[in-house]
Structure formats: C-alpha cells, structure tokens
Amino acid sequence: KAGVTQTPRYLIKTRGQQVTLSCSPISGHRSVSWYQQTPGQGLQFLFEYFSETQRNKGNFPGRFSGRQFSNSRSEMNVSTLELGDSALYLCASSLATGLMDEQYFGPGTRLTVT
Amino acid sequence: GESVGLHLPTLSVQEGDNSIINCAYSNSASDYFIWYKQESGKGPQFIIDIRSNMDKRQGQRVTVLLNKTVKHLSLQIAATQPGDSAVYFCAENNTDTDKLIFGTGTRLQVFP
C-alpha cells in the first residue's frame, strides 16, 4: 500500500506570495491533518480534515487555510507569505478521525520564503 | 536530508547499549501519549503509544513508561542499533481539545 505523498517536496517563494501544498493520504484513509515543523517551535498542529470538513484547528492565523476533496486528498494554502512561514509542512493521514487512530506521516514539503 | 532541529538535546549511545529518552508533558488532562521517530528527510513514524490508564507498555525492543504523578514519559530502546539514529518526539493528546501536542524532540546518535 502506498504511503502518504506530498507535493511538491521543495518550494521556494518570496514574501507576499501565496502557496498551495498537496497531500494524498493512504488509500482508504479519510482523515488528513497538517503540521508545521520548525527548529524553533517544533511540530505544531495546523488543522485536521475529515470527510471534506475541517474538524479541528490549531492556533495559526487565517492566512493558513486548507480543504479536503471527496477523494480525501487535501491541500493547504498559505497566503501573503512571511519569512517566518519557512518550515517543513507535514501531513498525516488516518483511517478515521480522533487522534487515537494511528497517524501516518508523509515526507513533508520544505517551504523556504525569501 | 532536512534538519528537524538545530539545537535539540542529543543522546549518544554505543551500539548494543540500551537508550532511554525522556519527555516531560505539560497537561495533566492528557490521556494518550505517543512516541514518534523521525529520520532525516522523512516524516515522523509511529513507534509506540500508551493510554493514561497504563504505566508501562512494551513493543518490539521498545518500552514506554508513563509517570502521571510527575507528568513524565520515557522511551527505552533495548540493544540500540545504528538504524535507531533519529530524532524522537513524544506527543500528548488531550481529549478535550483532540489535538496532538509534540515535545521538542531528542536526537539519538548511535556510534559503533
């Protein structure tokens, strides 16, 4: 069974631009969560989608948004990029919602904002 | 590979020795805990979990201990191997918020 895939793997953007990252969960998984990983803040929860609905949200500004499609694939968007948005963005999928269901992480998208 | 943390605490162990990685969690209401392993260039990988009604759980070569009194979690790796070299994160889940809160991570280096 293929794992979680994320595209692109690397991205360089300039301040003020916007970016869309994509995540394809493991086949059959309906929940997708997004995390931001930085050396200073570690791994921080962004949001979780289940059945095309945002089920939970972390403490990030409204510039960070996401959505989930009917095939469970998910995208996250960051508008008006800031230097501090440079990070590894990870998505994780699980069969169902609820964090006691094991999450499988993708390799991440490394975003660099210049 | 990508760096997951430039200033992580580091544990260096000799191959074959046992490793103990510690984690202090913050919320006494957290009732589910997970250990993840992250290798360079990869996303975190689930290792083992434990619920708050337990104080010990064993897997293959790994044991997690939970001390709720002092809000402390540890991961023990038996007979540490070079392939165990990675960054290890603990995570806690509070069912009130249903969000995973990750610790800062510990880098494990295994030398021959």
Side-chain angles (χ1 to χ4, degrees), chain A residues 54-70:
Chain A
Q54 186 179 88
R55 185 184 165 275
N56 210 342
K57 191 177 188 303
N59 298 322
F60 279 81
R63 300 185 297 108
F64 292 81
S65 63
R67 58 178 176 167
Q68 187 180 34
F69 302 95
S70 58

PDB file of all heavy atoms in Angstrom, chain A residues 54-70:
ATOM      1  N   GLN A  54     -13.491  20.631   7.962  1.00  0.00           N
ATOM      2  CA  GLN A  54     -12.441  20.915   8.939  1.00  0.00           C
ATOM      3  C   GLN A  54     -12.959  20.560  10.322  1.00  0.00           C
ATOM      4  O   GLN A  54     -13.933  21.128  10.818  1.00  0.00           O
ATOM      5  CB  GLN A  54     -12.053  22.400   8.901  1.00  0.00           C
ATOM      6  CG  GLN A  54     -10.848  22.699   9.804  1.00  0.00           C
ATOM      7  CD  GLN A  54     -10.440  24.154   9.757  1.00  0.00           C
ATOM      8  OE1 GLN A  54     -10.945  24.984  10.503  1.00  0.00           O
ATOM      9  NE2 GLN A  54      -9.524  24.482   8.864  1.00  0.00           N
ATOM     10  N   ARG A  55     -12.278  19.631  10.956  1.00  0.00           N
ATOM     11  CA  ARG A  55     -12.763  19.115  12.221  1.00  0.00           C
ATOM     12  C   ARG A  55     -12.080  19.797  13.418  1.00  0.00           C
ATOM     13  O   ARG A  55     -12.639  19.879  14.501  1.00  0.00           O
ATOM     14  CB  ARG A  55     -12.507  17.618  12.257  1.00  0.00           C
ATOM     15  CG  ARG A  55     -13.072  16.920  13.461  1.00  0.00           C
ATOM     16  CD  ARG A  55     -12.723  15.467  13.496  1.00  0.00           C
ATOM     17  NE  ARG A  55     -12.985  14.927  14.822  1.00  0.00           N
ATOM     18  CZ  ARG A  55     -12.129  14.983  15.827  1.00  0.00           C
ATOM     19  NH1 ARG A  55     -10.939  15.509  15.658  1.00  0.00           N
ATOM     20  NH2 ARG A  55     -12.434  14.488  17.012  1.00  0.00           N
ATOM     21  N   ASN A  56     -10.879  20.258  13.195  1.00  0.00           N
ATOM     22  CA  ASN A  56     -10.122  20.828  14.296  1.00  0.00           C
ATOM     23  C   ASN A  56      -9.107  21.809  13.726  1.00  0.00           C
ATOM     24  O   ASN A  56      -8.670  21.657  12.575  1.00  0.00           O
ATOM     25  CB  ASN A  56      -9.404  19.715  15.072  1.00  0.00           C
ATOM     26  CG  ASN A  56      -9.218  20.048  16.538  1.00  0.00           C
ATOM     27  OD1 ASN A  56      -9.312  21.200  16.943  1.00  0.00           O
ATOM     28  ND2 ASN A  56      -8.957  19.034  17.340  1.00  0.00           N
ATOM     29  N   LYS A  57      -8.728  22.787  14.528  1.00  0.00           N
ATOM     30  CA  LYS A  57      -7.831  23.823  14.023  1.00  0.00           C
ATOM     31  C   LYS A  57      -6.857  24.228  15.113  1.00  0.00           C
ATOM     32  O   LYS A  57      -7.239  24.328  16.281  1.00  0.00           O
ATOM     33  CB  LYS A  57      -8.653  25.035  13.584  1.00  0.00           C
ATOM     34  CG  LYS A  57      -7.887  26.086  12.805  1.00  0.00           C
ATOM     35  CD  LYS A  57      -8.822  27.206  12.365  1.00  0.00           C
ATOM     36  CE  LYS A  57      -8.134  28.168  11.409  1.00  0.00           C
ATOM     37  NZ  LYS A  57      -6.916  28.775  11.960  1.00  0.00           N
ATOM     38  N   GLY A  58      -5.614  24.452  14.744  1.00  0.00           N
ATOM     39  CA  GLY A  58      -4.608  24.926  15.684  1.00  0.00           C
ATOM     40  C   GLY A  58      -4.604  26.443  15.748  1.00  0.00           C
ATOM     41  O   GLY A  58      -5.476  27.118  15.203  1.00  0.00           O
ATOM     42  N   ASN A  59      -3.588  26.972  16.422  1.00  0.00           N
ATOM     43  CA  ASN A  59      -3.511  28.415  16.653  1.00  0.00           C
ATOM     44  C   ASN A  59      -2.654  29.112  15.609  1.00  0.00           C
ATOM     45  O   ASN A  59      -1.583  29.636  15.917  1.00  0.00           O
ATOM     46  CB  ASN A  59      -2.971  28.680  18.058  1.00  0.00           C
ATOM     47  CG  ASN A  59      -3.881  28.123  19.126  1.00  0.00           C
ATOM     48  OD1 ASN A  59      -5.093  28.176  19.015  1.00  0.00           O
ATOM     49  ND2 ASN A  59      -3.278  27.551  20.168  1.00  0.00           N
ATOM     50  N   PHE A  60      -3.106  29.100  14.402  1.00  0.00           N
ATOM     51  CA  PHE A  60      -2.405  29.768  13.314  1.00  0.00           C
ATOM     52  C   PHE A  60      -3.304  30.857  12.737  1.00  0.00           C
ATOM     53  O   PHE A  60      -4.525  30.757  12.801  1.00  0.00           O
ATOM     54  CB  PHE A  60      -2.030  28.752  12.218  1.00  0.00           C
ATOM     55  CG  PHE A  60      -0.787  27.964  12.535  1.00  0.00           C
ATOM     56  CD1 PHE A  60      -0.839  26.864  13.370  1.00  0.00           C
ATOM     57  CD2 PHE A  60       0.444  28.339  12.007  1.00  0.00           C
ATOM     58  CE1 PHE A  60       0.306  26.146  13.684  1.00  0.00           C
ATOM     59  CE2 PHE A  60       1.594  27.625  12.303  1.00  0.00           C
ATOM     60  CZ  PHE A  60       1.522  26.528  13.142  1.00  0.00           C
ATOM     61  N   PRO A  61      -2.685  31.906  12.160  1.00  0.00           N
ATOM     62  CA  PRO A  61      -3.515  32.984  11.593  1.00  0.00           C
ATOM     63  C   PRO A  61      -4.330  32.505  10.400  1.00  0.00           C
ATOM     64  O   PRO A  61      -4.066  31.455   9.818  1.00  0.00           O
ATOM     65  CB  PRO A  61      -2.461  34.030  11.173  1.00  0.00           C
ATOM     66  CG  PRO A  61      -1.180  33.305  11.080  1.00  0.00           C
ATOM     67  CD  PRO A  61      -1.253  32.179  12.057  1.00  0.00           C
ATOM     68  N   GLY A  62      -5.299  33.328  10.037  1.00  0.00           N
ATOM     69  CA  GLY A  62      -6.203  32.993   8.941  1.00  0.00           C
ATOM     70  C   GLY A  62      -5.532  32.879   7.584  1.00  0.00           C
ATOM     71  O   GLY A  62      -6.143  32.386   6.629  1.00  0.00           O
ATOM     72  N   ARG A  63      -4.254  33.306   7.509  1.00  0.00           N
ATOM     73  CA  ARG A  63      -3.525  33.143   6.230  1.00  0.00           C
ATOM     74  C   ARG A  63      -3.337  31.666   5.886  1.00  0.00           C
ATOM     75  O   ARG A  63      -3.069  31.321   4.738  1.00  0.00           O
ATOM     76  CB  ARG A  63      -2.138  33.800   6.329  1.00  0.00           C
ATOM     77  CG  ARG A  63      -2.144  35.282   6.618  1.00  0.00           C
ATOM     78  CD  ARG A  63      -0.741  35.859   6.583  1.00  0.00           C
ATOM     79  NE  ARG A  63       0.150  35.300   7.593  1.00  0.00           N
ATOM     80  CZ  ARG A  63       1.145  34.462   7.324  1.00  0.00           C
ATOM     81  NH1 ARG A  63       1.373  34.037   6.088  1.00  0.00           N
ATOM     82  NH2 ARG A  63       1.922  34.022   8.305  1.00  0.00           N
ATOM     83  N   PHE A  64      -3.442  30.837   6.899  1.00  0.00           N
ATOM     84  CA  PHE A  64      -3.301  29.393   6.694  1.00  0.00           C
ATOM     85  C   PHE A  64      -4.697  28.787   6.541  1.00  0.00           C
ATOM     86  O   PHE A  64      -5.552  28.951   7.422  1.00  0.00           O
ATOM     87  CB  PHE A  64      -2.594  28.746   7.893  1.00  0.00           C
ATOM     88  CG  PHE A  64      -1.156  29.132   8.021  1.00  0.00           C
ATOM     89  CD1 PHE A  64      -0.787  30.343   8.597  1.00  0.00           C
ATOM     90  CD2 PHE A  64      -0.155  28.286   7.569  1.00  0.00           C
ATOM     91  CE1 PHE A  64       0.545  30.711   8.713  1.00  0.00           C
ATOM     92  CE2 PHE A  64       1.185  28.637   7.696  1.00  0.00           C
ATOM     93  CZ  PHE A  64       1.534  29.850   8.259  1.00  0.00           C
ATOM     94  N   SER A  65      -4.913  28.130   5.456  1.00  0.00           N
ATOM     95  CA  SER A  65      -6.215  27.517   5.220  1.00  0.00           C
ATOM     96  C   SER A  65      -6.028  26.173   4.543  1.00  0.00           C
ATOM     97  O   SER A  65      -4.936  25.859   4.056  1.00  0.00           O
ATOM     98  CB  SER A  65      -7.104  28.422   4.360  1.00  0.00           C
ATOM     99  OG  SER A  65      -6.519  28.596   3.080  1.00  0.00           O
ATOM    100  N   GLY A  66      -7.068  25.413   4.506  1.00  0.00           N
ATOM    101  CA  GLY A  66      -6.962  24.115   3.875  1.00  0.00           C
ATOM    102  C   GLY A  66      -8.306  23.675   3.354  1.00  0.00           C
ATOM    103  O   GLY A  66      -9.335  24.342   3.536  1.00  0.00           O
ATOM    104  N   ARG A  67      -8.280  22.551   2.682  1.00  0.00           N
ATOM    105  CA  ARG A  67      -9.520  21.932   2.249  1.00  0.00           C
ATOM    106  C   ARG A  67      -9.250  20.466   1.960  1.00  0.00           C
ATOM    107  O   ARG A  67      -8.101  20.038   1.792  1.00  0.00           O
ATOM    108  CB  ARG A  67     -10.083  22.619   1.017  1.00  0.00           C
ATOM    109  CG  ARG A  67      -9.175  22.647  -0.199  1.00  0.00           C
ATOM    110  CD  ARG A  67      -9.875  23.319  -1.370  1.00  0.00           C
ATOM    111  NE  ARG A  67      -9.023  23.454  -2.530  1.00  0.00           N
ATOM    112  CZ  ARG A  67      -9.466  23.779  -3.746  1.00  0.00           C
ATOM    113  NH1 ARG A  67     -10.758  23.995  -3.933  1.00  0.00           N
ATOM    114  NH2 ARG A  67      -8.631  23.895  -4.770  1.00  0.00           N
ATOM    115  N   GLN A  68     -10.334  19.735   1.891  1.00  0.00           N
ATOM    116  CA  GLN A  68     -10.231  18.310   1.570  1.00  0.00           C
ATOM    117  C   GLN A  68     -11.244  17.992   0.492  1.00  0.00           C
ATOM    118  O   GLN A  68     -12.381  18.471   0.529  1.00  0.00           O
ATOM    119  CB  GLN A  68     -10.469  17.449   2.805  1.00  0.00           C
ATOM    120  CG  GLN A  68     -10.213  15.965   2.574  1.00  0.00           C
ATOM    121  CD  GLN A  68     -10.453  15.121   3.805  1.00  0.00           C
ATOM    122  OE1 GLN A  68     -11.336  15.412   4.609  1.00  0.00           O
ATOM    123  NE2 GLN A  68      -9.685  14.052   3.961  1.00  0.00           N
ATOM    124  N   PHE A  69     -10.842  17.164  -0.429  1.00  0.00           N
ATOM    125  CA  PHE A  69     -11.698  16.800  -1.550  1.00  0.00           C
ATOM    126  C   PHE A  69     -12.414  15.484  -1.266  1.00  0.00           C
ATOM    127  O   PHE A  69     -12.098  14.784  -0.306  1.00  0.00           O
ATOM    128  CB  PHE A  69     -10.855  16.710  -2.822  1.00  0.00           C
ATOM    129  CG  PHE A  69     -10.137  17.993  -3.152  1.00  0.00           C
ATOM    130  CD1 PHE A  69      -8.821  18.191  -2.745  1.00  0.00           C
ATOM    131  CD2 PHE A  69     -10.781  19.013  -3.842  1.00  0.00           C
ATOM    132  CE1 PHE A  69      -8.159  19.386  -3.028  1.00  0.00           C
ATOM    133  CE2 PHE A  69     -10.120  20.200  -4.130  1.00  0.00           C
ATOM    134  CZ  PHE A  69      -8.813  20.388  -3.720  1.00  0.00           C
ATOM    135  N   SER A  70     -13.340  15.144  -2.140  1.00  0.00           N
ATOM    136  CA  SER A  70     -14.155  13.945  -1.920  1.00  0.00           C
ATOM    137  C   SER A  70     -13.317  12.666  -1.960  1.00  0.00           C
ATOM    138  O   SER A  70     -13.722  11.641  -1.402  1.00  0.00           O
ATOM    139  CB  SER A  70     -15.283  13.869  -2.943  1.00  0.00           C
ATOM    140  OG  SER A  70     -14.760  13.861  -4.257  1.00  0.00           O
TER     141      SER A  70
END
